[in-house]
Amino acid sequence: MPIVELHVIKGYSAQEKQRLGVALTNAVRFVVPAAPELVTVVIHDISDQNYYRGGKVRQPARAKDDPEHIVRAFLSDMGEGAVESARKRLSPDFVMQFPGTAPMRDLGDLGNWAATRYRRIAKTYDGFDAMQGDGDAAIVYCRGTLSGEWTDGSPFEGIRFIDRFEIQNDLITRQDVWNDIAETRAQA
Amino acid sequence: MPIVELHVIKGYSAQEKQRLGVALTNAVRFVVPAAPELVTVVIHDISDQNYYRGGKVRQPARAKDDPEHIVRAFLSDMGEGAVESARKRLSPDFVMQFPGTAPMRDLGDLGNWAATRYRRIAKTYDGFDAMQGDGDAAIVYCRGTLSGEWTDGSPFEGIRFIDRFEIQNDLITRQDVWNDIAETRAQA
Amino acid sequence: MPIVELHVIKGYSAQEKQRLGVALTNAVRFVVPAAPELVTVVIHDISDQNYYRGGKVRQPARAKDDPEHIVRAFLSDMGEGAVESARKRLSPDFVMQFPGTAPMRDLGDLGNWAATRYRRIAKTYDGFDAMQGDGDAAIVYCRGTLSGEWTDGSPFEGIRFIDRFEIQNDLITRQDVWNDIAETRAQA
Amino acid sequence: MPIVELHVIKGYSAQEKQRLGVALTNAVRFVVPAAPELVTVVIHDISDQNYYRGGKVRQPARAKDDPEHIVRAFLSDMGEGAVESARKRLSPDFVMQFPGTAPMRDLGDLGNWAATRYRRIAKTYDGFDAMQGDGDAAIVYCRGTLSGEWTDGSPFEGIRFIDRFEIQNDLITRQDVWNDIAETRAQA
Amino acid sequence: MPIVELHVIKGYSAQEKQRLGVALTNAVRFVVPAAPELVTVVIHDISDQNYYRGGKVRQPARAKDDPEHIVRAFLSDMGEGAVESARKRLSPDFVMQFPGTAPMRDLGDLGNWAATRYRRIAKTYDGFDAMQGDGDAAIVYCRGTLSGEWTDGSPFEGIRFIDRFEIQNDLITRQDVWNDIAETRAQA
Amino acid sequence: MPIVELHVIKGYSAQEKQRLGVALTNAVRFVVPAAPELVTVVIHDISDQNYYRGGKVRQPARAKDDPEHIVRAFLSDMGEGAVESARKRLSPDFVMQFPGTAPMRDLGDLGNWAATRYRRIAKTYDGFDAMQGDGDAAIVYCRGTLSGEWTDGSPFEGIRFIDRFEIQNDLITRQDVWNDIAETRAQA
């Protein structure tokens, strides 16, 4: 029955602490095969007047936005054609890599690329996986199936896809996309 | 400067504690934007004679094998054609999903499927991402590029792929694969 | 100088925490021969938004009523003839065992039994001992002396008695009584 | 899921720590209605070179003997007529109070008192309750039934009894006894 | 990266806790050569209803005044000739030791002693050092240079001095003074 | 009854931990007027395989030598004329400031300076005060009285002195000296 105590400077919201509670629980379970309900996490909020580093009080860093929420919001914007809103979620050095084309940096290029492949597309999600990488970026995966209309107007659905995102400073820095579109077209 | 204290019953190896140290550090960093070197993890090994639940001593659960190591070993076996060894790393209810075919349960089926697509294939890895899911399974992603020989003997390389694995009880229960093979062939 | 730290979810009253402070102090002193003033108990109230088990927030269980208070109230009711009030403090499966008779389940039976022995009785208490048993029940002992009037109207006093109570879910499940009434009458 | 951490100077045996584990668990459960298996006790053995009071190292006090064991050994000695051995378990200011007689200080007096009541007696135990009192003494109760032979040689059995002991400095300072002997004889 | 946790009963001000944070940081750095910013101090304010010693709640002792502030205020009073105010900062058993004279107990005697040496004097401070001694007294040192006018009206400046103060119960109990006045006059 | 817990990587000696125990006790007492025996310090030695910063194991920094011991050894060397040994205890940028002369950097210069003042000198110590400064240096004060022989062979004794030392990296970087030699000669 592992017990995790986290000491942080006071200032995180209930939701942010919930995210910490889940992430720490899963971090323990990554190594120790304890049932989730046997992993206890206790967060000690330390008032800033009770925390000293080098004898000086410190302020808590603002929590990161939930990377999965950032990705979901970006995907939602893109699904609704809200490209300007989606663009605000991207880092200036954003790069995206789609099947069968060179890396792209602008959402406009993506539109051009897509236009040669399908008239309309929508994503159905099977699941998200999110984690902090060893480096600065958080990693978010989402996977599921694509449905839509080919350029000739015929419909498609159930085409598997997976996206991998990197997020830094609450902005998406990278998107990598894989899917079975070409496989499906080859079989058609 | 968040501080994590983990209390576990004594019995984990240095390597297992290192894995806990890294996982807990990243769990904090998933929410709190602290530089890694400002996240401290202290593990308190509790002698089994010093730990009581319900007034009774308890034994530590054996650590899970490192899911990433399990996946790397499986991929290495498969790369070397050591199918029998690879098979031992799979759960009895193992399922794999490759592009353009129905789910398969046996590594032999995979060989048949591949035979229609390429004569020889090798993976170059760009990176692994591993995490504990909210459920029982650990998730491991690996991504990189494929090189090899088509069925007609012509070579290919640099074809992007990504694999997603689920691991439970130190056995692989699921593998999902995406890649640009069809895209590449369509462009050829 | 043993130090006890108790971590509980916030929600216990000052009085309940005082009871925990005393019980934990005595638990240590049951084994370690430290003077009471060298046993320190620190209670950490954990806000429910800071406590996670299995990654989920939890609510604190309502504290048990003080078992000694329950017994004192029952004894007070019985001393005042407030049988209905006393009855509310009993579990449906309450059993009482008095000297020289079979186990009884109803306070009315007790009245009948007593009527053959004394006309009036009162208890003077020398002390109470209360503890949690290893099972679900808390145990409360009270001891002292009985005074009153025999059925013939003659008075008695200073007759030693001891009662043992078991309490579960804030209700008395069992009462065992021993006393020197028969001894006294035999000597009379 | 309350968590108790006890910090003591290193030096207690596994058995003594087990007693602490149980006593602390029950102390919590005396107030908080948690299932036993949800109460965790962690004992931190502090090396004497890691513990300072007033800047000075301290030695751990030798643990008290288990008061229940002391009482069981005394009762066993008495049952076997090993009066000299039993006497060594008594404090110089030992007092015992039996039904129908003045307080006695010497085990020899007890023999004289008993001789007028029964020829032979044995105890069958239903249970022991042990606890640290708020004062210096630990309290041990034992209860059960008596069997034996009256002075006329006729047998008896199933007579309820309860003993209350006080223990200080590993010696019994007081014994109080109640039983149904007189009640039984009166009914005979 | 040493971590200090201090548990005190709630009631100290932010400023008092800052003083504790600095003193504890320096205590660690006195032995461990860690950069200050790698020493973390966390203060746990324990509500008085969450702290028990001998099973009883306790009140926090009022913090000591900052000994350095006491000395600075005394020196400021003396510099301004506010002898009555300065006197209130002295313990009844105050003793002061100046160069070339017997110990003095009254600030008036100091004036007489000074009158034979200089007409006017002022202190420029280079630094203060303050610490708790192993005994009851806190120790404060201040050092710097003296400037002023000799009894003949000629000026002086840059004469080194050092004062050592002992403080108990927020009052100065002892002052020892060394300086280069005689050396300077001898060289003149 | 303040409680200090110090978490450090394992590797400090009993003596070094004793120094930490005393320093932390005095740090608390500098602010909280607790009797020393009511300040508890518990040191948690963390095995290096149980301590992670940024997910990496760390090695404990070697403890600083006791600054007071360094000063006592230096003073002892100087008292015995062991100038070469004394010199090894000095930092390359060592500076000393004695009464009535410019700052000196070499112990040889000190000998020349002293030769004009006394033929022989010895120190009797009344006390040492040692502390970590807010900066990198530890500060050690020693005070007492000087005895010896003037250049004309006449004896002196009981002349007050105080030395202030700064120590960094186990080497003395600065010595400041004040005494009543000139005052005594002026009165002679």
Side-chain angles (χ1 to χ4, degrees):
Chain A
M1 198 152 82
I3 300 162
V4 180
E5 293 182 84
L6 171 66
H7 306 262
V8 286
I9 305 181
K10 199 170 190 157
Y12 294 101
S13 71
Q15 196 178 33
E16 288 157 359
K17 290 190 282 193
Q18 168 92 45
R19 284 167 55 204
L20 282 163
V22 170
L24 289 164
T25 299
N26 286 343
V28 171
R29 295 176 59 232
F30 187 62
V31 180
V32 176
E37 62 272 19
L38 291 186
V39 180
T40 304
V41 173
V42 173
I43 299 176
H44 299 283
D45 280 325
I46 312 296
S47 155
D48 57 5
Q49 68 177 229
N50 285 2
Y51 178 95
Y52 298 89
R53 195 150 59 79
K56 291 183 188 134
V57 296
R58 306 279 169 163
Q59 296 306 311
R62 198 180 63 76
K64 295 179 182 174
D65 287 346
D66 187 336
E68 183 179 325
H69 286 192
I70 292 171
V71 166
R72 283 182 184 271
F74 172 77
L75 290 169
S76 170
D77 283 347
M78 292 299 286
E80 296 165 3
V83 175
E84 278 321 294
S85 175
R87 201 169 261 138
K88 285 175 186 151
R89 306 184 192 281
L90 304 180
S91 165
D93 56 355
F94 172 72
V95 176
M96 58 189 160
Q97 173 78 59
F98 277 68
T101 184
M104 295 178 282
R105 307 188 69 91
D106 190 81
L107 295 182
D109 297 338
L110 175 59
N112 298 338
W113 173 86
T116 66
R117 305 200 166 218
Y118 42 76
R119 190 181 288 176
R120 191 174 51 72
I121 202 160
K123 284 174 158 168
T124 302
Y125 300 109
D126 288 346
F128 281 74
D129 296 317
M131 62 180 301
Q132 175 64 31
D134 290 342
D136 288 337
I139 315 297
V140 177
Y141 285 94
C142 75
R143 63 190 198 286
T145 52
L146 304 170
S147 59
E149 233 173 75
W150 299 121
T151 48
D152 66 3
S154 61
F156 61 86
E157 65 175 1
I159 300 181
R160 297 185 319 137
F161 79 92
I162 187 162
D163 289 2
R164 180 182 187 274
F165 294 89
E166 296 188 2
I167 295 95
Q168 290 191 40
N169 301 319
D170 298 343
L171 296 174
I172 299 171
T173 55
R174 181 169 186 90
Q175 180 187 13
D176 291 278
V177 173
W178 295 259
N179 59 48
D180 288 351
I181 287 181
E183 180 73 33
T184 304
R185 291 206 293 196
Q187 295 192 358
Chain B
M1 199 152 81
I3 300 162
V4 180
E5 294 183 83
L6 172 67
H7 307 261
V8 287
I9 305 181
K10 199 170 190 159
Y12 295 102
S13 71
Q15 195 177 34
E16 288 158 358
K17 290 190 282 194
Q18 168 92 45
R19 284 167 54 204
L20 283 164
V22 170
L24 289 165
T25 299
N26 286 343
V28 171
R29 294 176 60 232
F30 188 62
V31 180
V32 176
E37 62 272 19
L38 290 187
V39 180
T40 304
V41 173
V42 173
I43 299 177
H44 298 283
D45 279 327
I46 311 296
S47 156
D48 57 6
Q49 69 177 228
N50 284 3
Y51 179 95
Y52 299 88
R53 195 150 60 78
K56 292 184 186 132
V57 296
R58 307 279 170 163
Q59 295 305 314
R62 197 179 65 76
K64 295 179 183 175
D65 287 346
D66 187 335
E68 184 179 325
H69 286 191
I70 292 171
V71 166
R72 283 181 183 271
F74 172 77
L75 291 169
S76 171
D77 284 346
M78 292 299 284
E80 298 165 2
V83 175
E84 278 321 294
S85 173
R87 203 169 260 137
K88 286 174 187 153
R89 305 183 192 281
L90 304 180
S91 165
D93 56 355
F94 171 71
V95 176
M96 58 188 159
Q97 173 78 60
F98 277 68
T101 185
M104 295 178 282
R105 305 189 70 91
D106 190 80
L107 296 182
D109 296 338
L110 176 59
N112 298 338
W113 173 87
T116 65
R117 308 205 163 212
Y118 42 76
R119 187 181 291 176
R120 192 173 51 71
I121 201 159
K123 283 172 159 169
T124 302
Y125 300 110
D126 288 346
F128 282 73
D129 295 317
M131 60 181 300
Q132 175 64 32
D134 289 341
D136 288 338
I139 315 296
V140 177
Y141 285 95
C142 74
R143 62 191 198 288
T145 53
L146 303 169
S147 59
E149 236 174 75
W150 299 122
T151 49
D152 66 2
S154 62
F156 61 86
E157 65 175 0
I159 299 181
R160 297 185 319 137
F161 79 93
I162 187 163
D163 290 3
R164 180 182 186 274
F165 293 89
E166 296 189 3
I167 295 95
Q168 290 190 41
N169 300 320
D170 297 344
L171 296 174
I172 299 171
T173 56
R174 181 170 186 88
Q175 179 186 16
D176 291 278
V177 173
W178 295 259
N179 58 48
D180 288 351
I181 287 181
E183 180 72 33
T184 305
R185 291 205 294 195
Q187 294 193 0
Chain C
M1 200 152 81
I3 301 162
V4 180
E5 293 183 85
L6 171 66
H7 306 262
V8 287
I9 304 182
K10 198 169 190 158
Y12 296 102
S13 71
Q15 196 177 33
E16 288 157 358
K17 290 190 283 193
Q18 168 91 46
R19 284 167 55 205
L20 282 164
V22 171
L24 289 165
T25 299
N26 286 343
V28 171
R29 295 176 59 232
F30 188 61
V31 180
V32 175
E37 63 272 19
L38 291 186
V39 180
T40 304
V41 174
V42 173
I43 299 176
H44 298 283
D45 280 326
I46 311 295
S47 156
D48 57 7
Q49 68 177 231
N50 284 2
Y51 179 95
Y52 299 88
R53 195 149 59 78
K56 292 184 188 133
V57 297
R58 308 278 169 163
Q59 296 306 313
R62 198 180 65 76
K64 294 179 182 174
D65 287 347
D66 187 336
E68 183 178 325
H69 286 193
I70 292 171
V71 166
R72 284 183 183 271
F74 172 77
L75 291 168
S76 171
D77 284 346
M78 292 299 285
E80 296 165 4
V83 175
E84 278 321 296
S85 173
R87 202 169 261 138
K88 286 174 187 152
R89 305 184 193 281
L90 304 180
S91 165
D93 56 354
F94 172 72
V95 176
M96 59 187 161
Q97 173 77 60
F98 277 67
T101 183
M104 295 177 282
R105 307 187 70 90
D106 189 81
L107 296 181
D109 297 338
L110 175 60
N112 298 338
W113 173 85
T116 66
R117 306 203 164 215
Y118 42 76
R119 186 181 292 177
R120 190 174 53 70
I121 201 159
K123 283 173 158 168
T124 302
Y125 300 109
D126 287 347
F128 282 74
D129 295 318
M131 60 180 303
Q132 174 64 33
D134 288 342
D136 287 338
I139 316 296
V140 177
Y141 285 94
C142 74
R143 63 191 198 286
T145 53
L146 304 170
S147 59
E149 236 173 72
W150 297 123
T151 50
D152 66 3
S154 62
F156 62 86
E157 65 175 359
I159 299 181
R160 296 183 323 135
F161 78 92
I162 187 163
D163 290 2
R164 180 181 185 276
F165 293 89
E166 296 188 4
I167 295 95
Q168 290 189 41
N169 301 319
D170 297 344
L171 296 174
I172 299 171
T173 55
R174 181 169 186 91
Q175 180 186 13
D176 291 278
V177 173
W178 296 259
N179 58 47
D180 288 350
I181 287 182
E183 180 73 34
T184 305
R185 291 205 294 196
Q187 294 191 0
Chain D
M1 199 152 83
I3 300 162
V4 180
E5 293 183 85
L6 171 66
H7 306 261
V8 286
I9 305 182
K10 198 169 189 158
Y12 295 102
S13 71
Q15 195 177 35
E16 288 157 358
K17 289 189 283 193
Q18 168 92 45
R19 285 167 55 205
L20 283 163
V22 171
L24 289 165
T25 299
N26 286 343
V28 171
R29 295 176 59 232
F30 188 61
V31 180
V32 175
E37 63 271 20
L38 291 186
V39 180
T40 304
V41 174
V42 173
I43 300 177
H44 299 284
D45 280 325
I46 311 296
S47 154
D48 57 6
Q49 69 177 232
N50 284 2
Y51 180 95
Y52 299 89
R53 196 150 58 78
K56 292 182 188 136
V57 297
R58 307 280 170 163
Q59 295 306 312
R62 198 179 65 76
K64 294 179 182 175
D65 287 347
D66 187 336
E68 184 179 324
H69 286 193
I70 292 170
V71 166
R72 283 182 184 271
F74 172 77
L75 291 169
S76 170
D77 284 346
M78 291 299 285
E80 297 164 3
V83 175
E84 276 322 296
S85 174
R87 202 170 260 137
K88 285 173 186 153
R89 306 184 192 282
L90 304 180
S91 165
D93 56 354
F94 172 72
V95 176
M96 57 187 162
Q97 173 76 59
F98 277 67
T101 183
M104 295 177 284
R105 308 187 68 90
D106 189 81
L107 295 182
D109 296 340
L110 176 59
N112 298 339
W113 173 85
T116 65
R117 307 204 164 212
Y118 41 77
R119 188 180 289 177
R120 189 172 54 70
I121 201 159
K123 284 173 158 168
T124 302
Y125 300 109
D126 288 346
F128 281 73
D129 295 317
M131 61 179 301
Q132 174 65 32
D134 289 342
D136 288 338
I139 316 296
V140 177
Y141 285 95
C142 75
R143 63 191 198 287
T145 53
L146 303 170
S147 59
E149 238 175 70
W150 298 123
T151 49
D152 66 3
S154 60
F156 61 86
E157 65 175 1
I159 299 181
R160 296 184 323 135
F161 79 91
I162 188 163
D163 289 3
R164 180 183 186 274
F165 293 89
E166 296 187 4
I167 296 95
Q168 290 190 41
N169 300 320
D170 298 343
L171 296 174
I172 299 171
T173 55
R174 181 168 186 93
Q175 180 186 14
D176 291 277
V177 173
W178 295 259
N179 58 48
D180 287 351
I181 286 181
E183 180 73 33
T184 304
R185 290 207 294 196
Q187 295 192 359
Chain E
M1 197 152 85
I3 300 162
V4 180
E5 293 183 85
L6 172 66
H7 306 261
V8 287
I9 304 181
K10 199 168 190 160
Y12 295 102
S13 71
Q15 196 177 34
E16 289 157 358
K17 290 190 282 194
Q18 168 92 45
R19 285 167 55 203
L20 282 163
V22 170
L24 289 164
T25 300
N26 286 342
V28 171
R29 295 176 59 233
F30 188 61
V31 179
V32 176
E37 62 272 20
L38 291 186
V39 180
T40 304
V41 174
V42 173
I43 299 176
H44 299 282
D45 279 326
I46 312 296
S47 154
D48 56 7
Q49 70 177 231
N50 284 3
Y51 179 95
Y52 298 89
R53 195 150 59 80
K56 291 181 189 138
V57 297
R58 306 280 170 162
Q59 296 305 313
R62 197 179 65 75
K64 295 179 182 175
D65 287 347
D66 186 335
E68 183 179 324
H69 286 192
I70 292 171
V71 166
R72 282 182 183 273
F74 172 77
L75 291 169
S76 170
D77 283 347
M78 292 299 285
E80 296 165 4
V83 174
E84 277 322 296
S85 174
R87 202 170 260 138
K88 285 173 186 153
R89 305 184 193 280
L90 304 180
S91 164
D93 55 355
F94 172 71
V95 176
M96 58 187 160
Q97 173 77 59
F98 277 67
T101 183
M104 296 178 283
R105 307 187 69 91
D106 190 81
L107 295 182
D109 297 339
L110 175 59
N112 299 339
W113 172 86
T116 65
R117 306 204 164 212
Y118 42 74
R119 188 181 290 175
R120 191 172 54 70
I121 201 159
K123 282 173 159 169
T124 302
Y125 300 109
D126 287 346
F128 281 73
D129 295 318
M131 61 180 301
Q132 175 64 33
D134 289 341
D136 288 338
I139 315 296
V140 177
Y141 285 95
C142 74
R143 63 191 198 286
T145 54
L146 305 170
S147 60
E149 236 174 72
W150 298 122
T151 48
D152 67 3
S154 62
F156 61 86
E157 64 175 359
I159 299 180
R160 297 184 321 135
F161 78 91
I162 188 164
D163 290 3
R164 180 182 186 273
F165 293 88
E166 296 187 4
I167 296 94
Q168 290 190 40
N169 301 321
D170 297 343
L171 295 175
I172 298 171
T173 55
R174 181 168 187 91
Q175 179 186 15
D176 291 278
V177 173
W178 295 259
N179 58 48
D180 287 350
I181 286 181
E183 180 72 33
T184 305
R185 292 206 294 197
Q187 295 193 358
Chain F
M1 199 151 81
I3 300 163
V4 180
E5 293 182 84
L6 172 65
H7 307 261
V8 286
I9 305 181
K10 199 169 189 158
Y12 295 101
S13 71
Q15 195 176 34
E16 288 157 359
K17 289 190 282 194
Q18 168 91 45
R19 284 167 55 204
L20 282 163
V22 170
L24 288 165
T25 299
N26 286 344
V28 171
R29 296 177 58 233
F30 188 62
V31 180
V32 176
E37 63 271 19
L38 290 186
V39 180
T40 304
V41 174
V42 173
I43 299 177
H44 299 283
D45 280 326
I46 312 295
S47 154
D48 56 6
Q49 69 176 230
N50 285 3
Y51 179 95
Y52 298 89
R53 195 150 59 79
K56 293 186 186 130
V57 298
R58 306 279 170 163
Q59 296 305 313
R62 199 180 63 77
K64 294 179 182 174
D65 288 346
D66 187 336
E68 184 179 324
H69 286 192
I70 293 170
V71 166
R72 283 182 184 271
F74 171 77
L75 291 168
S76 170
D77 283 346
M78 292 299 286
E80 296 165 3
V83 175
E84 277 321 295
S85 174
R87 202 169 261 138
K88 286 175 186 151
R89 306 184 191 282
L90 304 180
S91 166
D93 56 353
F94 172 71
V95 175
M96 58 188 160
Q97 173 78 61
F98 277 68
T101 182
M104 296 178 283
R105 308 188 69 91
D106 189 82
L107 295 182
D109 296 339
L110 175 60
N112 298 338
W113 173 86
T116 65
R117 306 204 164 212
Y118 41 76
R119 188 181 290 176
R120 191 174 53 71
I121 200 159
K123 283 172 158 168
T124 301
Y125 300 108
D126 287 346
F128 281 73
D129 296 318
M131 61 180 300
Q132 174 64 33
D134 289 342
D136 289 337
I139 316 295
V140 177
Y141 285 95
C142 75
R143 62 191 200 286
T145 53
L146 304 170
S147 59
E149 235 174 73
W150 299 121
T151 49
D152 64 4
S154 61
F156 61 88
E157 65 174 2
I159 299 181
R160 296 185 321 136
F161 79 92
I162 187 163
D163 290 2
R164 180 182 187 274
F165 293 88
E166 297 188 2
I167 295 95
Q168 291 190 40
N169 301 320
D170 298 343
L171 296 174
I172 299 171
T173 56
R174 181 168 186 92
Q175 179 186 15
D176 291 278
V177 173
W178 295 259
N179 59 47
D180 287 351
I181 288 182
E183 180 73 33
T184 305
R185 292 206 294 196
Q187 295 193 0

